[in-house]
């Protein structure tokens, strides 16, 4: 779920009162009942940050990608799972941060009571102009997780994506790989390949043939 709805300002992003001088902890955040509304939050440096309602384009893209990757994993890697809007704890200030990517893939078995995604190998964010800064802030926190091999950022302004892939020495490239249109998206972390455009089927960005 994005930090702000496509085409809207970030006025919906609010911080609530911290529970202490150092801010709310992840444990406190997980037990917090919110502000009494349906607003969802992620925890950023000890402060809950509101996540506004997604656009329909965003929702279609999120559900389509989850279905395509889920089907791929069921066929090729049945021990791995795609999870929608999982809680992810970065390594930096992990006790005061829980970010919420749009999708995550883990190959660690599910267990009773899990509330954050264990050992993610792939994290996916869906970008809109109104949440660009917050999305990329989250992306850089994901790079602190040693299990993460790839981070994919999908555009909603057009058929395009930016892919960060961890290098052999464990470092991350300075700039992401840009994929657009009919170019092939290759996710080495899960052995998935497909024309990028197939992820956008059903949105206004990809029209069916006449």
């Amino acid at each position: 779920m994005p930090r702000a709805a496509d085409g809207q300002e970030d006025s919906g992003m609010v911080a609530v009162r911290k529970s202490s001088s150092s801010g709310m902890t992840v444990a406190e955040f997980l037990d917090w009942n919110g502000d009494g509304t349906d607003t969802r939050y992620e925890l950023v440096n000890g402060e809950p940050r509101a996540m506004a309602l997604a656009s329909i384009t965003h929702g279609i893209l999120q559900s389509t990608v989850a279905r395509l990757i889920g089907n791929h994993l069921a066929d090729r890697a049945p021990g791995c799972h795609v999870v929608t809007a999982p809680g992810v704890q970065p390594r930096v200030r992990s006790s005061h941060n829980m970010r919420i990517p749009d999708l995550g893939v883990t190959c660690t078995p599910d267990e009773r009571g899990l509330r954050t995604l264990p050992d993610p190998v792939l994290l996916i964010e869906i970008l809109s102009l109104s949440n660009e800064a917050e999305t990329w802030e989250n992306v850089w926190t994901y790079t602190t997780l040693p299990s993460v091999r790839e981070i994919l950022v999908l555009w909603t302004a057009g058929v395009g994506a930016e892919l960060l892939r961890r290098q052999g020495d464990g470092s991350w490239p300075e700039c992401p790989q840009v994929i657009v249109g009919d170019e092939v998206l290759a996710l080495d972390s899960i052995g998935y390949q497909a024309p990028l455009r197939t992820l956008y089927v059903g949105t206004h960005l990809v029209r069916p043939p006449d």
Side-chain angles (χ1 to χ4, degrees):
M1 182 174 291
R3 263 53 63 190
D6 297 347
Q8 297 181 2
E9 297 298 324
D10 288 340
S11 57
M13 293 185 53
V14 297
V16 300
R17 182 173 59 85
K18 295 184 289 187
S19 61
S20 69
S21 59
S22 61
M24 184 181 285
T25 66
V26 169
E28 291 169 337
F29 178 72
L30 290 171
D31 290 334
W32 180 53
N33 292 323
D35 60 359
T37 71
D38 292 333
T39 304
R40 298 185 64 193
Y41 291 85
E42 61 185 355
L43 188 64
V44 179
N45 296 321
E47 295 189 6
R49 183 166 70 186
M51 297 160 53
L53 184 67
S55 70
I56 297 301
T57 300
H58 178 113
I60 293 172
L61 184 57
Q62 184 179 18
S63 61
T64 299
V65 174
R67 174 174 54 81
L68 292 173
I69 289 180
N71 289 343
H72 167 78
L73 294 175
D75 291 339
R76 303 291 183 88
C80 301
H81 306 281
V82 60
V83 182
T84 302
V88 174
Q89 281 185 267
R91 280 295 182 93
V92 176
R93 296 203 71 203
S94 62
S95 63
H96 288 79
N97 281 274
M98 192 174 79
R99 309 301 174 94
I100 314 293
D102 287 291
L103 296 166
V105 174
T106 181
C107 297
T108 298
D110 182 35
E111 295 181 3
R112 183 186 298 274
L114 280 178
R115 301 177 73 182
T116 60
L117 189 67
D119 304 319
V121 295
L122 169 66
L123 295 172
I124 299 173
E125 289 277 16
I126 299 174
L127 181 71
S128 62
L129 294 178
S130 60
N131 73 348
E132 184 171 2
E134 291 75 26
T135 297
W136 283 108
E137 176 192 345
N138 281 0
V139 166
W140 297 121
T141 68
Y142 303 152
T143 65
T144 68
L145 288 164
S147 63
V148 174
R149 295 176 54 193
E150 289 176 314
I151 304 166
L152 178 66
V153 178
L154 295 166
W155 302 347
T156 54
V159 179
E162 296 170 76
L163 177 64
L164 285 161
R165 179 178 292 126
R166 191 186 293 273
Q167 300 176 0
D169 61 0
S171 65
W172 292 91
E174 182 177 347
C175 297
Q177 175 191 0
V178 176
I179 307 107
V180 296
D182 291 317
E183 293 179 354
V184 172
L185 169 67
L187 298 174
D188 292 351
S189 58
I190 59 171
Y192 178 82
Q193 287 193 9
L196 180 66
R197 189 174 297 274
T198 62
L199 277 61
Y200 286 80
V201 170
T203 72
H204 72 278
L205 299 168
V206 176
R207 298 296 185 188
D210 296 332

